[in-house]
């Protein structure tokens, strides 16, 4: 780069930064309370829009001054709608309030903003004994995390580019434009960053391959096609801090020599689509995208493409065909996309989390990034923790943290005093690991060795009431439906796998089914074309390996030990505990299967019962009269007698 162009870049960015800092100063130095409301999809689904409206209405009604600052997801998805109130004149630090309904919003304005009472009983993590208000960073969800990609999530307004710039946003792009492409690629390669989309391919090596290809036009694609059940990392990042992803895309494009880029995001993410589209427009208005970025000779145009929601389009060659207007189906490689990709042009595809990791790496240096995580898996990993865990949500941890620490220390462990049974890692194609693997470090190599995979970051925690055969059937049902059908092993093999699992969950398993599951799974992994088929049998193989006794119970005893498979379970009433005249169970039964016996106690018509379990939930705890058993043959005789509840027993 020549000195004159570098000076022009510095001057243009300094003017933008000065404007952002002036706006930030006006925001932070005002004495008016700031009300930060999480407005990502998880917050909105829990009622954040109603909460925001309630704050606006009560503030106007009471003529109180306050600034409502919409932010993205802070990671505490279990506590949404989340509100942080920073009231400078109160003498308190910023206070974190969980589950803020419209009614609670009105109460906080009246009692806290109006009368100075922060309402300790409503503060997350506060203790009434010592009246201490904990800092947000003291919560386990934060003090054991290491936030790099998610550092600004939940703190900035994702729809205000100046909020991001005031937090050193786009400063790394300005710095990168004054370096040579080779310097950037060498730094990324030295950091050891590996692709966060699941494959874990070294990012610097991919960029170097793209850089060395001579072509008139190259294309960068951000892969935000997140289709795993229970996974929402990429969506949340785009909704909470889209500019860090855009900045990473711009740096990538400059390094590899591309002037066009595409954000591929599924159309089921309307909020993410709207926010990232607006972010691109804002960056173009400030000269951070478009022609002659920051006065340099670098041009970049970014478009947003909405995918139709096919899971297989997470595979890069299927994604490319989708953009081109064809049905998303993987193709044989080589040639690889970096050689011949979108519109037959060299194309580099990186995941949302990979691209968002680039600005911090270039800003702090490769050595800084190398010090985080493990030797072969540097940096952090972001997981969406769902299932039977107390504090579900998004977590960003250093690579190498154990599964035990993540599930029990950071996410609070298993609710309702249940026992941990298994964790499924890596999305629908990941593996199911039992408690023997709780001390396994979370990194690419350790998880693969255990039979699971890092994947894109989905993690499902399961307690003792989970049937592993049903879990395998559930994930196989998903991957079989999402198969593009191109290769026989995946199209037909997963179909037969699913049919066997369906038989097992219905008590129709045959001798030899378990060995057939294992053989068929291995053939599918060996013969499938793309990653979907190669990994689809993972839940079957791992659950069969670590929970074989459950499979054998389904086959040999026609019994579900976890009492989860409907066809293998039944409900009945313990007549010694059932209360006379209590109709809680009968009134909630959707199919009128609960009848009254001759002594005014309850029974279940097994032919009508659909095994929904509503009677179990409705039965008062002081009676605890409903029983669930497997196999159904264990139901006492009175529950099997014919007749209607009107006739009595």
């Amino acid at each position: 780069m020549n000195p004159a162009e570098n000076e022009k870049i510095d001057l243009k960015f300094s003017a933008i930064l000065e404007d952002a800092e002036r706006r930030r100063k006006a925001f932070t130095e005002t004495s008016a309370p700031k009300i930060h409301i999480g407005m990502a999809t998880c917050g909105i689904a829990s009622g954040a829009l109603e909460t925001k409206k309630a704050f606006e209405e009560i503030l106007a009604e009471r003529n109180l001054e306050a600034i409502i600052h919409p932010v993205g997801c802070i990671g505490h998805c279990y506590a949404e709608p989340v509100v942080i109130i920073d009231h400078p004149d109160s003498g308190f630090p910023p206070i974190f309030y969980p589950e803020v309904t419209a009614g609670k919003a009105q109460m906080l304005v009246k009692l806290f903003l109006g009368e100075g009472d922060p309402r300790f009983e409503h503060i997350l993590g506060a203790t009434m004994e010592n009246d201490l208000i904990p800092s947000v960073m003291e919560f386990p969800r934060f003090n054991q995390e290491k936030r790099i990609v998610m550092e600004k999530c939940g703190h900035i307004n994702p729809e205000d580019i100046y909020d991001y710039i005031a937090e050193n946003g786009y400063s790394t792009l300005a710095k990168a434009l004054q370096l040579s492409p080779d310097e950037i690629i060498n730094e990324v390669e030295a950091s050891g960053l590996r692709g966060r989309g699941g494959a874990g391919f070294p990012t610097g090596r991919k960029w170097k391959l793209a850089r060395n290809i001579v072509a008139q036009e190259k294309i960068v694609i951000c892969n935000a096609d997140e289709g795993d059940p229970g996974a929402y990392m990429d969506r949340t990042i785009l909704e909470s801090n889209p500019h860090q992803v855009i900045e990473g895309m711009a740096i990538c494009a400059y390094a590899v020599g591309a002037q066009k880029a595409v954000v591929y995001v599924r159309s089921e993410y309307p909020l993410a689509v709207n926010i990232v589209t607006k972010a691109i427009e804002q960056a173009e208005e400030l000269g951070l995208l478009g022609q002659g970025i920051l006065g340099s000779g670098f041009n970049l145009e970014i478009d947003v493409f909405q995918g139709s929601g096919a899971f297989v389009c997470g595979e890069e060659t299927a994604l490319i065909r989708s953009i081109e207007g064809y049905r998303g189906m993987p193709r044989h490689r080589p040639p690889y996309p970096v050689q011949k990709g979108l519109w037959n042009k060299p194309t580099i595809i990186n995941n949302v989390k990979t691209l968002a990791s680039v600005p911090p790496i270039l800003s702090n240096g490769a050595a800084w990034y190398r010090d985080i995580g493990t030797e072969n898996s540097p940096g952090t990993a972001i997981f969406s923790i769902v299932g039977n865990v107390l504090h579900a949500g998004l977590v960003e941890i250093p690579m190498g943290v154990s599964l035990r620490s993540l599930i029990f220390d950071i996410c609070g462990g298993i609710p309702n005093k249940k026992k941990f049974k298994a964790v499924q890692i890596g999305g629908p194609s990941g593996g199911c690991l039992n408690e023997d693997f709780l001390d396994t470090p979370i990194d690419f190599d350790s998880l693969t060795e255990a039979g699971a995979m890092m994947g894109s970051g989905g993690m499902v925690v399961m307690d003792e009431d989970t049937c592993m055969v049903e879990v395998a059937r559930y994930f196989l049902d998903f991957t079989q439906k999402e198969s593009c059908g191109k290769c026989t092993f995946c199209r037909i093999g997963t179909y037969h796998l699913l049919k066997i699992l369906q038989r097992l969950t219905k008590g129709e398993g045959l001798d030899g089914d378990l060995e057939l599951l294992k053989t068929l799974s291995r053939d599918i992994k060996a013969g499938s074309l793309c990653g979907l088929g190669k990994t689809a049998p993972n839940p079957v193989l791992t659950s069969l390996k670590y929970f074989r006794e459950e499979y054998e119970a389904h086959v040999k005893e026609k019994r579900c030990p976890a009492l989860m498979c409907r066809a293998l379970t039944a409900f009945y009433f313990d007549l010694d505990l059932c209360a006379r005249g209590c109709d809680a169970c009968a009134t909630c039964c959707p199919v009128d299967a609960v009848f009254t016996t001759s002594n005014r106690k309850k029974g279940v018509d097994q032919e009508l019962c659909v095994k929904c379990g509503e009677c179990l939930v409705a039965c008062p705890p002081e009676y605890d009269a409903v029983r669930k058993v497997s196999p159904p043959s264990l139901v006492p005789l009175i529950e099997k007698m014919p007749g209607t509840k009107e006739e009595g027993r």
Side-chain angles (χ1 to χ4, degrees), residues 186-188 190-192 360-362 364-373 378-379:
N186 289 340
E187 192 74 8
V188 172
S191 74
I361 289 173
L362 289 186
N364 297 288
W368 164 82
Y369 194 74
R370 275 282 185 187
D371 284 341
I372 303 166

Side-chain angles (χ1 to χ4, degrees), residues 133-171:
I133 297 177
S135 162
V136 173
M137 299 312 296
E138 292 174 0
F139 301 150
R141 180 57 67 91
F142 287 126
N143 64 19
Q144 297 185 52
E145 288 190 55
K146 176 65 178 179
R147 294 202 162 192
I148 295 176
V149 172
M150 291 183 60
E151 182 183 10
K152 300 176 180 63
C153 294
H155 298 287
I156 65 170
N157 182 349
E159 298 189 58
D160 185 352
I161 190 172
Y162 289 105
D163 248 19
Y164 177 68
I165 294 171
E167 296 278 349
N168 294 319
Y170 287 107
S171 62

Side-chain angles (χ1 to χ4, degrees), residues 116 118 239 381 470 508 577:
E239 291 175 353
E470 168 59 22
E508 300 170 358
L577 298 176

Side-chain angles (χ1 to χ4, degrees), residues 30 67 89 103 217 244 279 306-307 366 381 421 464 475 487 503 516 562 587 628 637 641:
T30 179
I67 300 173
D89 292 341
E217 186 178 342
Q244 189 163 321
Q306 297 184 52
K421 185 170 188 177
E464 59 189 276
F475 284 115
C487 50
R503 287 209 312 268
L516 183 57
T587 55
K628 189 177 183 182
L637 179 62
M641 293 174 63

Side-chain angles (χ1 to χ4, degrees), residues 26-40:
F27 176 76
T28 57
E29 292 187 357
T30 179
S31 60
K34 290 93 177 170
I35 303 172
H36 310 275
I37 306 176
M39 299 292 289

Side-chain angles (χ1 to χ4, degrees), residues 401-588:
V401 170
S402 70
L403 285 169
R404 185 186 304 276
S405 179
L406 175 59
I407 295 169
F408 290 92
D409 298 336
I410 299 176
C411 293
I414 314 301
N416 303 318
K417 298 181 180 180
K418 298 285 187 178
K419 294 180 181 179
F420 170 87
K421 185 170 188 177
V423 59
Q424 203 262 358
I425 310 172
S429 302
C432 300
L433 304 179
N434 63 15
E435 61 182 346
D436 295 339
F437 292 89
L438 281 175
D439 293 313
T440 300
I442 297 172
D443 61 61
F444 288 101
D445 302 326
S446 299
L447 290 178
T448 301
E449 185 178 341
M453 58 189 290
M454 179 72 72
S456 60
M459 184 178 293
V460 182
V461 180
M462 293 165 271
D463 67 13
E464 59 189 276
D465 294 332
T466 305
C467 172
M468 301 311 298
V469 181
E470 168 59 22
V471 167
R473 186 211 62 79
Y474 171 82
F475 284 115
L476 241 295
D477 181 65
F478 176 83
T479 49
Q480 198 279 324
K481 288 175 179 175
E482 293 293 335
S483 171
C484 74
K486 184 172 184 176
C487 50
T488 306
F489 281 95
C490 182
R491 181 181 70 251
I492 299 179
T494 56
Y495 173 82
H496 286 295
L497 267 187
L498 180 60
K499 287 300 179 184
I500 296 171
L501 291 169
Q502 288 173 337
R503 287 209 312 268
L504 297 185
T505 58
K506 293 177 181 178
E508 300 170 358
L510 306 172
D511 290 340
D513 273 353
L514 303 191
E515 293 308 313
L516 183 57
L517 281 175
K518 187 185 298 184
T519 302
L520 190 54
S521 293
R522 290 173 176 170
D523 289 344
I524 294 169
K525 288 175 70 72
S528 295
L529 172 63
C530 80
L532 187 151
K534 289 181 180 297
T535 59
N538 282 348
V540 180
L541 288 172
T542 52
S543 60
L544 185 58
K545 180 177 181 180
Y546 302 126
F547 301 93
R548 187 178 181 91
E549 68 282 357
E550 278 198 46
Y551 279 86
E552 291 177 345
H554 282 72
V555 175
K556 298 176 181 178
E557 304 171 37
K558 313 304 180 187
R559 178 175 66 89
C560 177
L563 304 177
M564 190 175 182
C565 298
R566 288 195 176 192
L568 300 181
T569 57
F571 292 86
Y572 74 94
F573 290 88
D574 186 330
L575 298 185
D576 293 330
L577 298 176
C578 184
R580 293 175 182 268
C582 172
D583 289 323
C585 53
T587 55
C588 75

